[in-house]
Amino acid sequence: MSVIAVFNQKGGVGKTTTTLNLIAALARRGKFPLGIDLDPQAHLTLASGIRNLPSSETIYAFYSAQKPLSQIMRELPSGAHLIPAHMELFKIDSLYGRTPNITSALKIGLTQELLPDEMIPVLIDCSPMLGVLSLNAVFAAQRLLIPVSADYLSLQGVNRLDAALKVLEKPLGKRIERRIVITRFDSRRRLSYDIFDQLREHYGKDLCETRISETVSLAESPVHGQDVFTFAPHGQGAKDYNSLVEELLGKGFFNP
Ligand SMILES: Nc1ncnc2c1ncn2[C@@H]1O[C@H](COP(=O)(O)OP(=O)(O)OP(=O)(O)O)[C@@H](O)[C@H]1O
Ligand SMILES: [Mg+2]
């Protein structure tokens, strides 16, 4: 099992889009991925075509009633598995924020009762809030994948991102391996190239070569509850996420 937290405390940068399409791309390569929706907005759940679940069938029940993760997990049409989220996750901070060891709950849940199979990649879609849920994701993860969108404000947020990572890593006592991927890249805009160059200067080899373009298929596929490979298999979005998964596999990013 290799656990990757898809994290950025800035909203709308493509965390959910990246998780949705990477687990689909991994499933298409026979890698048996598991996606975990750890965001009270439940966007990954919705984008996967799952609606109107009671909270008892989501990861909320893992936190509130110690329901085993294996009983919450469900299979998606792509062959990937998903642990869905529910709006009630908003309560986790206030209800369980002071529970001892709450930050390790997901790590323990994953290692104790799920996936003894070492080859399974687990991708956690984080919420843009720094709280108990994000700490759970970072504690459970061996690596971070950080989408940064190709706009000026996102670049301004990079320092805040570094600061947020320091806060999350402090209780861990170590730096977590990471890759940064640029999203919403518009090849008609000079600004997109400038931002890519600045990210390369800042992150060096941690920045992925692959650039995820701004495309209609990536914006529209979640509306239909589909990943981009099902919705528009020949479009730029499918091409970009295929390139990203190849690059990450090539660099051993999903290795246990
Ligand atoms: N490459 C892209 N091209 C076009 N639209 C995109 C692209 N990536 C993301 N989007 C759209 O932008 C919006 C925000 O993306 P997404 O939900 O993936 O971001 P997020 O980081 O998960 O947001 P949040 O912080 O709220 O969880 C969504 O409507 C999504 O469909
Ligand atoms: Mg999201």
Side-chain angles (χ1 to χ4, degrees), residues 129-229:
M129 288 178 304
L130 288 179
V132 166
L133 293 171
S134 290
L135 276 169
N136 262 251
V138 172
F139 265 58
Q142 280 115 20
R143 302 183 184 100
L144 301 176
L145 181 61
I146 303 173
V148 175
S149 62
D151 58 77
Y152 176 70
L153 288 178
S154 214
L155 194 61
Q156 297 307 303
V158 157
N159 289 337
R160 276 195 299 280
L161 172 66
D162 290 346
L165 290 175
K166 282 214 175 85
V167 169
L168 292 170
E169 285 172 336
K170 198 167 179 204
L172 271 179
K174 62 166 186 176
R175 182 184 188 273
I176 310 178
E177 186 188 337
R178 69 200 56 173
R179 299 239 170 237
I180 289 76
V181 58
I182 194 166
T183 60
R184 315 198 70 159
F185 187 91
D186 186 343
S187 59
R188 295 163 305 179
R189 278 197 213 146
R190 183 66 243 163
L191 180 66
S192 284
Y193 294 94
D194 289 346
I195 290 173
F196 185 74
D197 289 344
Q198 290 186 48
L199 288 175
R200 185 149 49 192
E201 214 164 277
H202 190 79
Y203 290 109
K205 64 171 179 42
D206 290 342
L207 178 67
C208 293
E209 288 299 320
T210 303
R211 301 184 287 224
I212 305 296
S213 311
E214 172 85 22
T215 64
V216 175
S217 61
L218 287 171
E220 288 185 352
S221 67
V223 180
H224 301 272
Q226 291 178 340
D227 61 71
V228 76
F229 305 103

Side-chain angles (χ1 to χ4, degrees), residues 222-244:
V223 180
H224 301 272
Q226 291 178 340
D227 61 71
V228 76
F229 305 103
T230 310
F231 182 73
H234 306 295
Q236 188 64 38
K239 211 170 139 196
D240 289 349
Y241 275 105
N242 262 326
S243 301
L244 181 61

